């Protein structure tokens, strides 16, 4: 059993909880999955995640930036272009995300839920 620890004024009780603070929630994993093939512009990222609102996408991207999971690059063009890309820290999470997806699919099958991508 691991001792709890304090990080950024928050108590964490396990390494899993700490990891989920980085990738957990409804939208972070879909964002990371969209960026796994390379940098994307904001508009392309928005189109790739159909149900996310602009406000939520911006909020989640900022949180991922703060946690050093994505980088934001602004190009000085007219109109300005912004691209988001995974960091090495986020790329380390991709195999874990893949395992979670496999586990989720097996749970869905067990529950009789059709999973057709």
């Amino acid at each position: 059993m691991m001792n709890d620890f304090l990080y950024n004024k928050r108590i964490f009780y396990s390494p899993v909880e700490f990891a989920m603070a980085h990738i957990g929630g409804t939208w972070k994993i879909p964002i990371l999955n969209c960026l796994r093939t390379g940098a994307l512009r904001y508009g392309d990222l928005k189109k790739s995640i159909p149900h996310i609102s602009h406000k939520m996408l911006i909020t989640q991207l900022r949180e991922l930036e703060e946690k050093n999971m994505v980088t934001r690059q602004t190009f000085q063009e007219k109109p300005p272009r912004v691209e988001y890309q995974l960091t090495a820290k986020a790329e380390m999470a991709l195999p874990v995300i893949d395992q979670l997806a496999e586990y989720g699919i097996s749970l869905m099958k067990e529950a009789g839920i059709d999973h057709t991508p």
Side-chain angles (χ1 to χ4, degrees), residues 18-74:
F18 190 64
M20 293 308 291
H22 286 73
I23 64 169
T26 303
W27 300 112
K28 286 186 180 84
I29 288 176
I31 291 168
L32 296 174
N33 275 330
C34 287
L35 293 172
R36 72 169 51 220
T37 57
L40 285 176
R41 295 174 73 165
Y42 176 87
D44 294 328
L45 194 52
K46 175 73 175 83
K47 287 178 197 167
S48 299
I49 308 171
H51 302 291
I52 194 168
S53 69
H54 286 288
K55 181 180 180 192
M56 185 55 67
L57 180 55
I58 290 166
T59 300
Q60 295 299 294
L61 285 168
R62 285 183 182 150
E63 286 181 21
L64 287 166
E65 278 184 86
E66 288 171 12
K67 294 187 181 309
N68 194 30
M69 300 293 281
V70 299
T71 57
R72 178 182 190 270
Q73 184 174 6
T74 305

